[in-house]
Structure formats: structure tokens, C-alpha cells
Amino acid sequence: MTFDKILDNNTLWAVRYEGAADNALQILFEQWSDPEWLVDFFLSNIADLKTYFKVTDINQAIYDTIDDNMRIQCLILDLSPEANLDAVFRPLENSRTSEMLLGKEKAKIKDRPQHASWLRIYAIKLEPGCYIITGGAIKLTHTMQEREHTLKELSKMEQVRNYLISNQAIDADGFVDFLSELQ
């Protein structure tokens, strides 16, 4: 795995997994704007869409996803160097109240009309204000453990976290040092 810099001030990175054509963030943005991919996804997950979000029209789900994708892209990519990423990312576990080493985090759209946003971007927090995006998902269930595609995202987060720990990249300085050793 390698890491692509998203923001020039070294506060936001995205994982590029072995064999992937692009980094995890770019792949998400492409999937979430692809109507054909979204049709397949929502047809496969229509029961969850109806049960958890009370949305029965796949076309509406596609429209909402593309709209939320544009909003989350603006939220993530239109950040100024002084922006507070800690206001964008929150602990993955809603009950977590304290910091942890390389904490698992999520970003999502807030204040969405009609229903909550189901788009999630997942990241590892190196330290306050510094994150590595590991992936994301359309989360249609209460917990990530309920579906294979969200379980895969949990696994990717743990894989990246373990990789960082094994390479002693446990804070922003350690991560930058680790990257410089790779070059």
C-alpha cells in the first residue's frame, strides 16, 4: 500500500491499495457518481434501503447519493489549509469519548433533508487535524457488522492501522518520516 497526499499541508492522505488504479478517496467519488454502479448497489441492498431509510424508489436513492457525493467532495476537497479536519471527522464508535492511538474515524454529511446521509468516508486519525482515508461505504444498516461491504471497510481500517503501527508511523511526524524513507 502507498499513500497519496490529498491536501498540500500534509493533513489529509488517502491509501492507494496494492493493484488499485487510484487512491481510496478517488475510487469512492467515482463509484458514488456512477449511476450504473449505484443501480447495482441499490438493487442488491433494496431491503436495507427500505427498512432503514424508508426509501423505496431506487432512482431517488441514486439522485440522493450523487447529490450527497458532490456535497461530501466539497466538504473534503475544498478545505483551506487552515480548515479544521476534526470538525469533519468523528470517532467511528459513537460511544467513544477519549482519544486513542490511530483512532478509527468517519466523515458524513450532516443536516440532509428527507433522510440522513448514508455515505461514509473512513479514516485513521494520526493526531488532531491529520487523517489518512482508508475507504468508505454506503451504510444502510445500524452497524457496520451487519453487511459484507461495511465489514470489508472495517477490515481495511484495521489493516492500515496495523501497517502504520508496524512501521512506527503513529503520529504525523512519524508518518512523514516513514514516507520519506520509502522514497
Side-chain angles (χ1 to χ4, degrees):
M1 91 182 51
T2 59
F3 302 89
D4 293 352
K5 187 187 313 185
I6 304 300
L7 298 179
D8 288 333
N9 63 358
N10 290 337
T11 59
L12 188 63
W13 301 80
V15 175
R16 183 183 296 250
Y17 294 98
E18 191 74 33
D22 215 330
N23 67 60
L25 184 63
Q26 196 59 43
I27 290 169
L28 286 176
F29 289 161
E30 289 171 14
Q31 285 178 339
W32 294 344
S33 64
D34 180 351
E36 290 179 24
W37 187 91
L38 292 170
V39 165
D40 290 343
F41 178 84
F42 287 118
L43 284 174
S44 298
N45 295 279
I46 190 71
D48 291 338
L49 186 65
K50 290 177 180 178
T51 302
Y52 290 94
F53 288 92
K54 311 298 185 231
V55 174
T56 57
D57 182 356
I58 287 181
N59 289 325
Q60 186 63 50
I62 292 168
Y63 175 82
D64 291 351
T65 302
I66 292 172
D67 184 54
D68 280 1
N69 182 41
M70 294 304 293
R71 291 177 65 200
I72 206 162
Q73 282 187 48
C74 290
L75 183 68
I76 297 289
L77 299 178
D78 292 346
L79 291 170
S80 68
E82 304 80 38
N84 180 7
L85 284 174
D86 296 328
V88 175
F89 289 94
R90 293 280 174 238
L92 182 64
E93 308 85 8
N94 293 330
S95 60
R96 191 173 88 210
T97 58
S98 62
E99 290 294 324
M100 63 180 284
L101 179 69
L102 300 176
K104 298 173 186 174
E105 309 284 320
K106 65 185 172 198
K108 65 181 182 176
I109 297 290
K110 297 175 183 150
D111 304 322
R112 188 189 192 297
Q114 291 100 19
H115 58 78
S117 178
W118 43 65
L119 298 185
R120 301 288 186 277
I121 294 177
Y122 301 114
I124 298 294
K125 184 176 185 177
L126 287 168
E127 61 184 43
C130 189
Y131 295 84
I132 301 171
I133 295 170
T134 62
I138 298 175
K139 183 177 174 275
L140 298 175
T141 56
H142 182 66
T143 67
M144 293 178 74
Q145 289 80 3
E146 295 175 65
R147 295 296 173 263
E148 186 177 328
H149 71 281
T150 47
L151 266 172
K152 181 179 173 185
E153 293 304 318
L154 280 173
S155 175
K156 286 172 21 183
M157 290 175 75
E158 191 61 28
Q159 174 190 3
V160 172
R161 186 175 186 275
N162 290 337
Y163 181 78
L164 294 171
I165 290 170
S166 69
N167 287 287
Q168 300 168 350
I170 58 171
D171 58 20
D173 289 339
F175 180 68
V176 171
D177 289 347
F178 168 68
L179 291 180
S180 66
E181 291 172 10
L182 292 177
Q183 295 176 349

